[in-house]
Amino acid sequence: GALDARLVAFAPSMPKEFARKPRATSELEHWKATEYRQFLLYTGHQVLEGLLADAHYMNFLCLSIACMILVCPDLVQRHLGYAKQLMAYFVETAKDLYGPTFLVYNVHMMMHVADDAARFGSLDQCSGFPFENYLFKLKRMVKSGKGVLNQMVNRLREHNSLPETRPARPTCHAISAKSPENAYILSNNRCGVVEGVVDEGPDGRQYYVHVYSNPQSLFKDPCDSVELGIYKFTPRAPNRPMSEGRYLSQRHFLHKAIKRDYPDRVVFQRILHSVQE
């Protein structure tokens, strides 16, 4: 259907911060937790637009925006109270939309996640993802069904006795000129796509960037998407490009982003979550 087509079309736009690319809902029973997070924070608000009834879409959007705020340390500091209001609104309206049986214990817990974000700095600071990921490593240590615990203990002891020889993982802040890694949120409410690296200049290394200026909001209800790092760009005049090439130094780059191209617009969205996949 239309939803699956939109999800699959998103896949080429997802950078390395996402270990799994969007896939169809026909494979929903095989989705991992990181895929649900990806849908909640990054793809859902775009792929569901126009496919859900207005009330249902707004209900999802309130949940999505609240979670965007709560996973991002700087957004938590500025908008914690608003995220808490959105969560309360989501739970209340979900009862009307989906019935009282929807209000299971896990849904009630969502009323309190803002308090966890306030206590720890963001939801990523108290996330269970690292522990879930490590279970995979533990399972690989087991070679037979006999003495499972002993196998794990022995393998962990061997691992801890070895010197760390793996190269350090590159940070997500390293500026890339390779698609889809080359989309960024820039200073002064601009976005850009890096096309190349130039020799060192007076301000350090220079990058040739297609810069998108004069952003618009992707949505304004229940809040302005620009506050969340989501920008929409459309042609300002017929046959006029939406971007122009400029040379920029590293100080102009604020956040890595996802860039999604549509026939009539381009959307940039800041990557908010910590890389824990």
Side-chain angles (χ1 to χ4, degrees), residues 215 228 233:
L228 305 169
F233 299 89

Side-chain angles (χ1 to χ4, degrees), residues 5 18 36 68 128 176 188 205 242 255:
F18 301 89
Y36 285 105
M68 290 182 201
S176 173
N188 299 322
R205 180 171 292 181
M242 284 185 278
H255 308 287

Side-chain angles (χ1 to χ4, degrees), residues 84-96:
K84 196 167 186 174
Q85 292 175 14
L86 287 176
M87 279 296 190
Y89 179 83
F90 165 76
V91 173
E92 184 63 31
T93 54
K95 179 183 68 175
D96 298 331

Side-chain angles (χ1 to χ4, degrees), residues 190-255:
R190 300 172 300 170
C191 298
V193 177
V194 178
E195 294 295 336
V197 182
V198 188
D199 292 337
E200 299 287 338
D203 296 329
R205 180 171 292 181
Q206 298 287 304
Y207 300 88
Y208 183 71
V209 187
H210 283 292
V211 177
Y212 293 75
S213 303
N214 302 312
Q216 304 169 41
S217 302
L218 184 64
F219 53 80
K220 290 191 174 182
D221 188 21
C223 70
D224 193 327
S225 68
V226 171
E227 286 291 322
L228 305 169
I230 305 174
Y231 303 84
K232 179 180 72 173
F233 299 89
T234 57
R236 284 176 283 174
N239 300 320
R240 182 177 178 182
M242 284 185 278
S243 64
E244 58 183 1
R246 296 183 184 178
Y247 292 97
L248 299 177
S249 61
Q250 188 166 352
R251 63 185 177 86
H252 293 281
F253 293 79
L254 301 182
H255 308 287

Side-chain angles (χ1 to χ4, degrees), residues 47-102:
V47 301
L48 291 176
E49 185 181 11
L51 299 182
L52 294 181
D54 290 346
H56 292 78
Y57 179 69
M58 184 56 61
N59 177 257
F60 172 82
L61 195 57
C62 288
L63 172 64
S64 178
I65 292 171
C67 292
M68 290 182 201
I69 293 170
L70 296 178
V71 301
C72 180
D74 60 276
L75 291 180
V76 165
Q77 291 183 10
R78 301 202 306 269
H79 304 300
L80 176 66
Y82 183 59
K84 196 167 186 174
Q85 292 175 14
L86 287 176
M87 279 296 190
Y89 179 83
F90 165 76
V91 173
E92 184 63 31
T93 54
K95 179 183 68 175
D96 298 331
L97 293 172
Y98 305 112
T101 57
F102 180 80

Side-chain angles (χ1 to χ4, degrees), residues 143-163:
K143 304 302 181 183
S144 71
K146 183 179 180 180
V148 171
L149 184 58
N150 288 339
Q151 291 181 61
M152 286 187 180
V153 170
N154 291 334
R155 297 296 85 75
L156 286 170
R157 184 182 294 119
E158 293 168 1
H159 179 270
N160 292 334
S161 65
L162 296 174

